Short mmCIF file of all heavy atoms in Angstrom, two decimals:
data_model
loop_
_atom_site.label_atom_id
_atom_site.label_comp_id
_atom_site.label_asym_id
_atom_site.label_seq_id
_atom_site.Cartn_x
_atom_site.Cartn_y
_atom_site.Cartn_z
N ILE A 717 280.86 48.93 -0.04
CA ILE A 717 281.14 50.09 0.86
C ILE A 717 280.11 50.16 1.96
O ILE A 717 280.46 50.28 3.14
CB ILE A 717 281.25 51.44 0.10
CG1 ILE A 717 282.47 51.44 -0.78
CG2 ILE A 717 281.24 52.59 1.06
CD1 ILE A 717 282.53 52.57 -1.79
N TYR A 718 278.88 50.06 1.62
CA TYR A 718 277.76 50.11 2.58
C TYR A 718 277.90 48.91 3.61
O TYR A 718 277.68 49.11 4.75
CB TYR A 718 276.37 50.02 1.91
CG TYR A 718 276.10 51.13 0.89
CD1 TYR A 718 275.31 50.85 -0.17
CD2 TYR A 718 276.67 52.38 1.05
CE1 TYR A 718 274.98 51.86 -1.12
CE2 TYR A 718 276.43 53.35 0.08
CZ TYR A 718 275.60 53.09 -0.98
OH TYR A 718 275.33 54.10 -1.87
N ALA A 719 278.27 47.76 3.10
CA ALA A 719 278.45 46.61 3.97
C ALA A 719 279.62 46.80 4.95
O ALA A 719 279.55 46.48 6.12
CB ALA A 719 278.63 45.32 3.13
N LEU A 720 280.72 47.35 4.43
CA LEU A 720 281.87 47.64 5.26
C LEU A 720 281.54 48.63 6.36
O LEU A 720 282.04 48.58 7.48
CB LEU A 720 283.05 48.11 4.46
CG LEU A 720 283.66 47.05 3.55
CD1 LEU A 720 284.73 47.68 2.60
CD2 LEU A 720 284.33 45.94 4.32
N VAL A 721 280.61 49.56 6.03
CA VAL A 721 280.24 50.53 7.11
C VAL A 721 279.37 49.87 8.21
O VAL A 721 279.46 50.20 9.38
CB VAL A 721 279.43 51.70 6.43
CG1 VAL A 721 278.76 52.56 7.45
CG2 VAL A 721 280.39 52.55 5.56
N THR A 722 278.63 48.85 7.75
CA THR A 722 277.72 48.16 8.74
C THR A 722 278.53 47.20 9.69
O THR A 722 278.05 46.95 10.79
CB THR A 722 276.65 47.43 8.09
OG1 THR A 722 277.17 46.30 7.29
CG2 THR A 722 275.71 48.26 7.27
N ILE A 723 279.68 46.81 9.29
CA ILE A 723 280.43 45.82 10.14
C ILE A 723 280.79 46.36 11.54
O ILE A 723 280.54 45.77 12.56
CB ILE A 723 281.71 45.31 9.34
CG1 ILE A 723 281.27 44.41 8.20
CG2 ILE A 723 282.63 44.54 10.33
CD1 ILE A 723 282.34 44.00 7.28
N PRO A 724 281.32 47.62 11.66
CA PRO A 724 281.57 48.12 12.96
C PRO A 724 280.27 48.33 13.76
O PRO A 724 280.21 48.20 14.97
CB PRO A 724 282.25 49.43 12.75
CG PRO A 724 282.65 49.47 11.30
CD PRO A 724 281.85 48.52 10.60
N LEU A 725 279.11 48.56 13.05
CA LEU A 725 277.87 48.75 13.74
C LEU A 725 277.33 47.48 14.26
O LEU A 725 276.40 47.48 15.11
CB LEU A 725 276.86 49.40 12.72
CG LEU A 725 277.18 50.82 12.25
CD1 LEU A 725 276.18 51.26 11.19
CD2 LEU A 725 277.24 51.79 13.41
N MET A 726 277.87 46.36 13.89
CA MET A 726 277.42 45.08 14.39
C MET A 726 277.76 44.88 15.94
O MET A 726 277.09 44.20 16.62
CB MET A 726 277.99 43.86 13.57
CG MET A 726 277.42 43.72 12.27
SD MET A 726 278.09 42.29 11.42
CE MET A 726 277.36 42.53 9.79
N PHE A 727 278.76 45.60 16.32
CA PHE A 727 279.14 45.50 17.71
C PHE A 727 278.11 46.23 18.62
O PHE A 727 278.08 45.94 19.81
CB PHE A 727 280.52 46.19 17.99
CG PHE A 727 281.63 45.40 17.32
CD1 PHE A 727 282.27 45.94 16.18
CD2 PHE A 727 281.96 44.15 17.75
CE1 PHE A 727 283.25 45.19 15.48
CE2 PHE A 727 282.98 43.41 17.08
CZ PHE A 727 283.61 43.88 16.03
N ILE A 728 277.26 47.11 18.07
CA ILE A 728 276.19 47.66 18.87
C ILE A 728 274.87 47.14 18.33
O ILE A 728 273.86 47.81 18.50
CB ILE A 728 276.28 49.19 18.82
CG1 ILE A 728 276.22 49.77 17.39
CG2 ILE A 728 277.46 49.71 19.58
CD1 ILE A 728 276.16 51.31 17.31
N VAL A 729 274.91 46.00 17.73
CA VAL A 729 273.71 45.24 17.31
C VAL A 729 272.99 45.82 16.12
O VAL A 729 272.41 45.11 15.29
CB VAL A 729 272.77 44.98 18.46
CG1 VAL A 729 271.62 44.06 18.05
CG2 VAL A 729 273.50 44.29 19.63
N VAL A 730 272.94 47.14 15.95
CA VAL A 730 272.19 47.72 14.88
C VAL A 730 272.72 47.31 13.51
O VAL A 730 271.99 47.37 12.54
CB VAL A 730 272.08 49.29 15.04
CG1 VAL A 730 273.46 49.95 14.71
CG2 VAL A 730 271.02 49.91 14.15
N GLY A 731 273.94 46.97 13.38
CA GLY A 731 274.57 46.58 12.10
C GLY A 731 274.09 45.31 11.60
O GLY A 731 274.05 45.07 10.40
N ILE A 732 273.58 44.39 12.45
CA ILE A 732 273.15 43.04 11.98
C ILE A 732 271.91 43.21 11.10
O ILE A 732 271.93 42.74 9.95
CB ILE A 732 273.00 42.10 13.20
CG1 ILE A 732 274.27 41.86 13.87
CG2 ILE A 732 272.32 40.80 12.72
CD1 ILE A 732 274.19 41.11 15.21
N PRO A 733 270.85 43.87 11.54
CA PRO A 733 269.72 44.00 10.59
C PRO A 733 270.02 44.85 9.39
O PRO A 733 269.52 44.57 8.31
CB PRO A 733 268.60 44.64 11.48
CG PRO A 733 269.26 45.07 12.70
CD PRO A 733 270.54 44.39 12.88
N LEU A 734 270.91 45.84 9.53
CA LEU A 734 271.31 46.62 8.36
C LEU A 734 272.05 45.76 7.33
O LEU A 734 271.81 45.90 6.10
CB LEU A 734 272.22 47.80 8.81
CG LEU A 734 271.62 48.99 9.47
CD1 LEU A 734 272.58 49.96 9.90
CD2 LEU A 734 270.53 49.60 8.59
N PHE A 735 272.91 44.92 7.81
CA PHE A 735 273.67 43.98 6.92
C PHE A 735 272.75 43.05 6.21
O PHE A 735 272.89 42.80 5.00
CB PHE A 735 274.75 43.25 7.72
CG PHE A 735 275.74 42.50 6.83
CD1 PHE A 735 276.82 43.19 6.31
CD2 PHE A 735 275.59 41.16 6.63
CE1 PHE A 735 277.67 42.48 5.45
CE2 PHE A 735 276.46 40.49 5.78
CZ PHE A 735 277.52 41.18 5.23
N ILE A 736 271.80 42.48 6.96
CA ILE A 736 270.78 41.64 6.36
C ILE A 736 269.93 42.33 5.32
O ILE A 736 269.73 41.82 4.16
CB ILE A 736 269.94 40.95 7.45
CG1 ILE A 736 270.84 40.02 8.28
CG2 ILE A 736 268.77 40.20 6.84
CD1 ILE A 736 270.16 39.47 9.55
N ALA A 737 269.58 43.54 5.62
CA ALA A 737 268.75 44.32 4.67
C ALA A 737 269.56 44.64 3.42
O ALA A 737 269.03 44.58 2.36
CB ALA A 737 268.32 45.62 5.36
N LEU A 738 270.88 44.89 3.59
CA LEU A 738 271.73 45.18 2.37
C LEU A 738 271.81 43.96 1.49
O LEU A 738 271.74 44.02 0.32
CB LEU A 738 273.11 45.59 2.87
CG LEU A 738 273.33 47.05 3.21
CD1 LEU A 738 274.76 47.27 3.77
CD2 LEU A 738 273.13 47.93 2.05
N ALA A 739 271.95 42.77 2.16
CA ALA A 739 272.03 41.51 1.35
C ALA A 739 270.77 41.29 0.58
O ALA A 739 270.83 40.92 -0.58
CB ALA A 739 272.37 40.36 2.31
N ILE A 740 269.61 41.46 1.25
CA ILE A 740 268.33 41.25 0.57
C ILE A 740 268.20 42.27 -0.56
O ILE A 740 267.73 41.90 -1.64
CB ILE A 740 267.21 41.33 1.61
CG1 ILE A 740 267.29 40.09 2.55
CG2 ILE A 740 265.82 41.37 0.89
CD1 ILE A 740 266.37 40.24 3.77
N THR A 741 268.49 43.49 -0.29
CA THR A 741 268.39 44.54 -1.25
C THR A 741 269.27 44.25 -2.48
O THR A 741 268.83 44.42 -3.66
CB THR A 741 268.76 45.92 -0.69
OG1 THR A 741 267.95 46.20 0.43
CG2 THR A 741 268.74 47.05 -1.70
N ASN A 742 270.52 43.73 -2.20
CA ASN A 742 271.37 43.38 -3.25
C ASN A 742 270.82 42.29 -4.21
O ASN A 742 270.78 42.50 -5.44
CB ASN A 742 272.71 42.89 -2.69
CG ASN A 742 273.83 42.79 -3.71
OD1 ASN A 742 273.65 43.02 -4.88
ND2 ASN A 742 275.01 42.48 -3.19
N VAL A 743 270.27 41.24 -3.62
CA VAL A 743 269.69 40.15 -4.40
C VAL A 743 268.51 40.67 -5.19
O VAL A 743 268.33 40.40 -6.35
CB VAL A 743 269.27 39.04 -3.52
CG1 VAL A 743 268.44 37.96 -4.22
CG2 VAL A 743 270.49 38.35 -2.81
N ILE A 744 267.57 41.47 -4.57
CA ILE A 744 266.38 41.93 -5.25
C ILE A 744 266.77 42.78 -6.48
O ILE A 744 266.28 42.54 -7.56
CB ILE A 744 265.55 42.77 -4.32
CG1 ILE A 744 264.89 41.77 -3.30
CG2 ILE A 744 264.44 43.53 -5.06
CD1 ILE A 744 264.14 42.51 -2.14
N PHE A 745 267.68 43.74 -6.28
CA PHE A 745 268.11 44.58 -7.40
C PHE A 745 268.85 43.85 -8.48
O PHE A 745 268.71 44.20 -9.67
CB PHE A 745 268.84 45.86 -6.94
CG PHE A 745 267.97 46.82 -6.24
CD1 PHE A 745 268.36 47.45 -5.06
CD2 PHE A 745 266.70 47.20 -6.75
CE1 PHE A 745 267.56 48.36 -4.40
CE2 PHE A 745 265.89 48.09 -6.10
CZ PHE A 745 266.31 48.72 -4.90
N VAL A 746 269.63 42.86 -8.12
CA VAL A 746 270.42 42.08 -9.11
C VAL A 746 269.38 41.31 -9.94
O VAL A 746 269.49 41.17 -11.18
CB VAL A 746 271.40 41.16 -8.48
CG1 VAL A 746 271.97 40.10 -9.42
CG2 VAL A 746 272.62 42.01 -7.95
N VAL A 747 268.38 40.71 -9.33
CA VAL A 747 267.36 39.96 -10.10
C VAL A 747 266.56 40.87 -11.00
O VAL A 747 266.33 40.52 -12.15
CB VAL A 747 266.41 39.20 -9.08
CG1 VAL A 747 265.21 38.62 -9.81
CG2 VAL A 747 267.16 38.09 -8.35
N ILE A 748 266.18 42.04 -10.50
CA ILE A 748 265.48 42.99 -11.35
C ILE A 748 266.31 43.41 -12.52
O ILE A 748 265.87 43.44 -13.70
CB ILE A 748 265.03 44.25 -10.56
CG1 ILE A 748 263.96 43.85 -9.53
CG2 ILE A 748 264.53 45.36 -11.48
CD1 ILE A 748 263.63 44.95 -8.55
N ALA A 749 267.60 43.70 -12.27
CA ALA A 749 268.51 44.11 -13.40
C ALA A 749 268.71 42.95 -14.36
O ALA A 749 268.73 43.18 -15.56
CB ALA A 749 269.85 44.55 -12.78
N SER A 750 268.75 41.74 -13.90
CA SER A 750 268.88 40.61 -14.77
C SER A 750 267.72 40.41 -15.63
O SER A 750 267.85 40.17 -16.85
CB SER A 750 269.21 39.33 -13.92
OG SER A 750 270.30 39.47 -13.16
N ILE A 751 266.53 40.55 -15.10
CA ILE A 751 265.32 40.44 -15.87
C ILE A 751 265.20 41.50 -16.96
O ILE A 751 264.98 41.20 -18.15
CB ILE A 751 264.05 40.42 -14.96
CG1 ILE A 751 264.02 39.17 -14.13
CG2 ILE A 751 262.77 40.54 -15.82
CD1 ILE A 751 263.04 39.21 -13.00
N ARG A 752 265.43 42.72 -16.53
CA ARG A 752 265.37 43.81 -17.56
C ARG A 752 266.42 43.66 -18.61
O ARG A 752 266.18 43.91 -19.78
CB ARG A 752 265.53 45.16 -16.83
CG ARG A 752 264.41 45.42 -15.88
CD ARG A 752 263.67 46.69 -16.20
NE ARG A 752 262.49 46.81 -15.34
CZ ARG A 752 262.40 47.68 -14.32
NH1 ARG A 752 263.42 48.49 -14.08
NH2 ARG A 752 261.32 47.69 -13.59
N THR A 753 267.65 43.25 -18.24
CA THR A 753 268.67 43.11 -19.22
C THR A 753 268.37 41.92 -20.17
O THR A 753 268.66 42.03 -21.34
CB THR A 753 270.05 42.87 -18.50
OG1 THR A 753 270.32 43.97 -17.63
CG2 THR A 753 271.16 42.69 -19.53
N ASN A 754 267.83 40.89 -19.66
CA ASN A 754 267.45 39.74 -20.53
C ASN A 754 266.38 40.19 -21.49
O ASN A 754 266.29 39.59 -22.59
CB ASN A 754 266.96 38.61 -19.69
CG ASN A 754 266.87 37.34 -20.45
OD1 ASN A 754 267.76 36.96 -21.23
ND2 ASN A 754 265.78 36.62 -20.27
N GLU A 755 265.61 41.19 -21.20
CA GLU A 755 264.63 41.71 -22.14
C GLU A 755 265.23 42.73 -23.11
O GLU A 755 264.56 43.20 -23.98
CB GLU A 755 263.50 42.42 -21.36
CG GLU A 755 262.71 41.60 -20.51
CD GLU A 755 261.76 42.36 -19.49
OE1 GLU A 755 261.97 43.57 -19.34
OE2 GLU A 755 260.88 41.68 -18.90
N GLY A 756 266.58 42.94 -22.95
CA GLY A 756 267.27 43.82 -23.88
C GLY A 756 267.18 45.33 -23.47
O GLY A 756 267.49 46.19 -24.19
N ARG A 757 266.73 45.59 -22.22
CA ARG A 757 266.55 46.95 -21.68
C ARG A 757 267.65 47.17 -20.71
O ARG A 757 268.14 46.32 -20.00
CB ARG A 757 265.23 47.05 -21.02
CG ARG A 757 264.04 46.90 -21.95
CD ARG A 757 262.67 46.79 -21.38
NE ARG A 757 262.56 47.42 -20.06
CZ ARG A 757 261.57 47.09 -19.22
NH1 ARG A 757 260.66 46.13 -19.55
NH2 ARG A 757 261.44 47.66 -18.06
#
């Protein structure tokens, strides 16, 4: 949903860094969740 909101904002350039930030945030939190889950937490 957040990514879909940023797509129209790409036409005014501000959406491009927001989209990149979302992608990086996604990867970081997935890795953290994976590590914690692998520990059984």
